[in-house]
Amino acid sequence: MIVLSGAIGAGKSSLAKLLSEHLGTEAFYEQVDNNPVLPLFYKDPKKYAFLLQIYFLNKRFESIKKAMVQDNNVLDRSIYEDSLFFHMNADMGRATPQEVKVYDELLDNMMQELPYAAAKKAPDLLVHLDISYDTMIHRIEKRGRSYEQPEQDPTLPEYYHQLLDRYDGWYDDYDYSPKMKLDGDKYDFVENPEDRQKVLDMIDEQLRQRGTLD
Ligand SMILES: Nc1ncnc2c1ncn2[C@@H]1O[C@H](COP(=O)(O)OP(=O)(O)OP(=O)(O)O)[C@@H](O)[C@H]1O
Ligand SMILES: Nc1nc(=O)c2ncn([C@H]3C[C@H](O)[C@@H](CO)O3)c2[nH]1
């Protein structure tokens, strides 16, 4: 299982599609446009942060169980990032310490239930898409989900800055599996075929080194 990571608009869904088509495997996407809680969360984060987190945790767990049956299936966000989001929101006062405790214990408990073989407790490879604040905003505007637009809510730019800051530390500390970082500002794998090939080659190389690609 290959897991992608990165902030909002980093290009995870786009890369998940490309990569799974390239490898002939299946992609599993985060529940966004059909997620009934996400717009509620952006409107009233304090009220809905915990519910949204449980929603994502449940869906993510379902995806992981399906994705892990075959080498090189692609997941468009890791379960570890859900926790990053929630702890950041909790630190902003949008969840109580008791909610955090329940979430952390539930996550731990669920992870122990994943029927991985001992050697497969984690992804085969984490591919992290690193983007700058300017790229993030540009992509959020390009994609156009209304509740994510900075002009909808003056607190969103600060939220996005904090998220990117946390992601830097998170990637450095991540040690559940082999990992690689791609410069998401530099490689336009959506529009530019040469960039696309370069990105796929870099990932193939890592997969060969890990023995999941011939
Ligand atoms: N490398 C790239 N170069 C140019 N445009 C890109 C790139 N990656 C993504 N985009 C564009 O940015 C927007 C967001 O991309 P995408 O939905 O793949 O991001 P994501 O990481 O899955 O976001 P989210 O976490 O919010 O679901 C889309 O409009 C996509 O076409
Ligand atoms: N609060 C919160 N917790 C999460 O675990 C989480 N995962 C994703 N998201 C938000 C970011 C994008 O708007 C949108 C798509 O990634 O969903 C989250 N928000």
Side-chain angles (χ1 to χ4, degrees):
M1 184 172 66
I2 302 165
V3 174
L4 308 184
S5 65
I8 301 169
K12 300 178 298 298
S13 309
S14 313
L15 184 59
K17 182 167 187 298
L18 269 178
L19 188 57
S20 60
E21 284 171 3
H22 167 71
L23 295 168
T25 57
E26 210 179 326
F28 294 84
Y29 299 100
E30 190 166 69
Q31 303 277 314
V32 179
D33 295 331
N34 51 356
N35 180 332
V37 190
L38 199 52
L40 299 176
F41 165 76
Y42 275 96
K43 222 170 162 190
D44 190 346
K46 210 166 174 163
K47 184 165 176 193
Y48 290 105
F50 184 70
L51 177 61
L52 178 63
Q53 225 50 51
I54 298 299
Y55 183 93
F56 272 123
L57 176 59
N58 186 32
K59 296 290 176 190
R60 190 86 58 204
F61 199 70
E62 201 176 9
S63 298
I64 294 174
K65 284 197 295 182
K66 287 184 190 152
M68 67 189 203
V69 300
Q70 189 195 339
D71 268 353
N72 296 340
N73 276 343
V74 184
L75 215 64
D76 86 338
R77 183 170 259 144
S78 68
I79 199 161
Y80 312 112
E81 291 162 86
D82 295 336
S83 183
L84 178 161
F85 267 94
F86 188 47
H87 279 263
M88 181 176 104
N89 276 283
D91 291 345
M92 296 168 80
R94 295 159 164 194
T96 65
Q98 208 148 32
E99 286 171 329
V100 174
K101 191 163 182 287
V102 169
Y103 178 79
D104 286 349
E105 286 179 9
L106 179 61
L107 176 60
D108 252 19
N109 210 356
M110 288 170 84
M111 291 303 276
Q112 283 173 29
E113 286 310 305
L114 275 182
Y116 284 131
K120 285 236 169 177
K121 263 269 172 214
D124 294 306
L125 178 67
L126 177 93
V127 181
H128 181 62
L129 289 167
D130 192 28
I131 51 165
S132 63
Y133 179 77
D134 287 350
T135 298
M136 184 184 191
I137 294 298
H138 178 73
R139 302 262 178 85
I140 286 172
E141 285 169 355
K142 180 179 170 191
R143 186 177 49 201
R145 284 180 199 138
S146 61
Y147 47 80
E148 290 175 350
Q149 302 307 311
E151 61 270 21
Q152 293 283 323
D153 174 353
T155 69
L156 278 176
E158 177 53 25
Y159 184 73
Y160 293 155
H161 273 297
Q162 277 202 40
L163 194 63
L164 284 174
D165 271 1
R166 292 223 178 198
Y167 259 104
D168 285 341
W170 174 82
Y171 179 77
D172 290 342
D173 293 345
Y174 176 91
D175 63 357
Y176 294 102
S177 72
K179 60 183 177 181
M180 66 182 286
K181 193 193 288 202
L182 291 174
D183 186 337
D185 288 356
K186 183 171 154 193
Y187 296 108
D188 179 352
F189 49 77
V190 172
E191 310 273 356
N192 182 329
E194 275 178 29
D195 282 0
R196 193 174 308 149
Q197 197 54 51
K198 275 186 204 156
V199 164
L200 292 174
D201 286 347
M202 284 187 273
I203 298 174
D204 280 355
E205 173 58 26
Q206 288 289 326
L207 294 174
R208 281 196 197 96
Q209 283 181 22
R210 313 291 161 208
T212 52
L213 190 67
D214 296 331

